[in-house]
Amino acid sequence: MGLRREVVRRPRLGRRTYAAIARELGLDEARFLADLDSAEVAQVVRDDLVYARRLGLDATPAIFVNGRYVDGFRGAEALAADVEAELAHAQERIAAGATRETVVRTILDGEAIPPNEFPSADLPQ
């Protein structure tokens, strides 16, 4: 059973639940619990949380399509439509003579939300 399904299936999350999931997934339970308690892992998680907040993310999953933040849950069909629209837009540019590299650079440099404009750009990184 996948980790996501396993977490959703269990009503109470916590150390015992995480250890049980680790066992069921065939992980080394002692190492898993040591990592769970380690200051190094805690710092990695804190750094990731700060970075996510800096990007304006406050929930998971957080999805970017060609550098554009897709806000909120939209479902697989809506996300697929977003991706298809981006692909069509890129294909139009390529058909007009732009190289793939130029298309990517144009999108990421000129059309994607720059980090300094994210909703929480003022937070420390």
Side-chain angles (χ1 to χ4, degrees):
M1 179 173 286
L3 179 60
R4 182 179 183 283
R5 266 187 265 139
E6 187 62 21
V7 170
V8 169
R9 182 175 71 93
R10 296 177 188 262
R12 296 187 55 82
L13 297 179
R15 185 177 183 80
R16 277 198 282 184
T17 300
Y18 301 145
I21 293 169
R23 265 191 316 278
E24 290 171 19
L25 292 173
L27 301 177
D28 177 334
E29 184 179 351
R31 179 175 174 195
F32 175 82
L33 291 173
D35 287 345
L36 185 65
D37 295 335
S38 79
E40 181 181 353
V41 170
Q43 186 60 51
V44 169
V45 171
R46 279 192 295 275
D47 291 347
D48 285 349
L49 287 171
V50 168
Y51 186 59
R53 287 184 58 208
R54 175 138 171 67
L55 294 175
L57 310 176
D58 58 6
T60 58
I63 300 172
F64 287 82
V65 178
N66 275 353
R68 294 182 187 98
Y69 177 52
V70 178
D71 191 16
F73 177 77
R74 301 186 24 118
E77 290 177 13
L79 181 58
D82 290 342
V83 170
E84 290 297 326
E86 288 294 327
L87 287 171
H89 184 61
Q91 288 300 327
E92 288 173 11
R93 291 176 174 187
I94 291 168
T99 65
R100 287 177 180 265
E101 293 78 15
T102 300
V103 171
V104 169
R105 195 52 34 219
T106 300
I107 290 169
L108 294 180
D109 288 348
E111 299 175 14
I113 299 171
N116 65 339
E117 293 182 17
F118 287 160
S120 52
D122 59 331
L123 292 173
Q125 197 170 32

